[in-house]
Amino acid sequence: MKPVILLDMDGVLVHNNQVLLDKLNENFGTHHKHKDVIDFHYAHLSYEQRTYMYHLWNHPNLYDNTELGQEEMRALEAMRSFAEVVACTAPLEGHIQGKYKWLRRHFKKGSIVITHDKSLIRGDILVDDAIHNITAFPGSTII
């Protein structure tokens, strides 16, 4: 039986954080870079800027113009050669439909898990960029 690899969407399959930071920079006249982001909650930003970022993250069309990168496509193809690969995401309320629509373009039906807690999902390996998901997952992890 093939091992099951669970792949997070944001920060693993889709790298849209800099795109959102570019919108923030344009709107506020700032120069934030992805390397400046120290946590999921954007603690280094002002309250007004954090509110703006949360609004962008919750936009229902967030994923409409987002594609899987070439490196991600190659990695996904390679993993599928030896494992069952499942997308595992914990979306914000505002973009559940948008995430699902995006995932259906890249994953077959039955290989998408939408959850509020990734530690409840059974798999052999979780690939995720969020430390709280990594530490709570009972299997092997890659950050």
Side-chain angles (χ1 to χ4, degrees):
M1 190 163 171
K2 288 182 169 184
V4 175
I5 300 175
L6 305 172
L7 293 179
D8 177 40
M9 185 171 162
D10 294 304
V12 174
L13 291 170
V14 177
H15 302 284
N16 51 10
N17 203 30
Q18 188 59 55
V19 172
L20 299 180
L21 287 170
D22 289 345
K23 289 181 182 185
L24 173 81
N25 290 335
E26 182 180 320
N27 193 51
F28 287 89
T30 54
H31 304 285
H32 297 288
K33 300 283 185 213
H34 180 69
K35 66 179 179 64
D36 301 328
V37 178
I38 57 172
D39 69 356
F40 178 75
H41 302 289
Y42 299 100
H44 69 291
L45 300 178
S46 71
Y47 174 78
E48 185 179 18
Q49 292 172 345
R50 280 195 310 273
T51 302
Y52 182 78
M53 289 298 283
Y54 292 145
H55 170 75
L56 293 176
W57 273 107
N58 277 295
H59 197 281
N61 300 328
L62 176 63
Y63 301 98
D64 285 1
N65 298 315
T66 306
E67 289 302 322
L68 192 62
Q70 293 296 318
E71 290 178 21
E72 289 80 5
M73 279 194 265
R74 283 193 297 275
L76 193 54
E77 188 176 309
M79 284 185 274
R80 285 178 172 157
S81 71
F82 67 87
E84 180 181 348
V85 181
V86 176
C88 185
T89 188
L92 299 170
E93 189 174 325
H95 59 212
I96 294 171
Q97 292 298 327
K99 268 193 169 190
Y100 184 73
K101 189 168 104 177
W102 187 92
L103 287 167
R104 287 291 292 132
R105 293 197 318 249
H106 303 286
F107 290 84
K108 64 184 181 190
K109 197 170 190 173
S111 63
I112 299 170
V113 174
I114 296 176
T115 183
H116 71 284
D117 183 352
K118 293 179 186 177
S119 69
L120 300 174
I121 307 305
R122 199 172 346 171
D124 298 297
I125 300 170
L126 172 66
V127 181
D128 203 300
D129 65 324
I131 196 70
H132 66 277
N133 290 325
I134 294 294
T135 56
F137 189 73
S140 297
T141 58
I142 299 173
I143 191 162

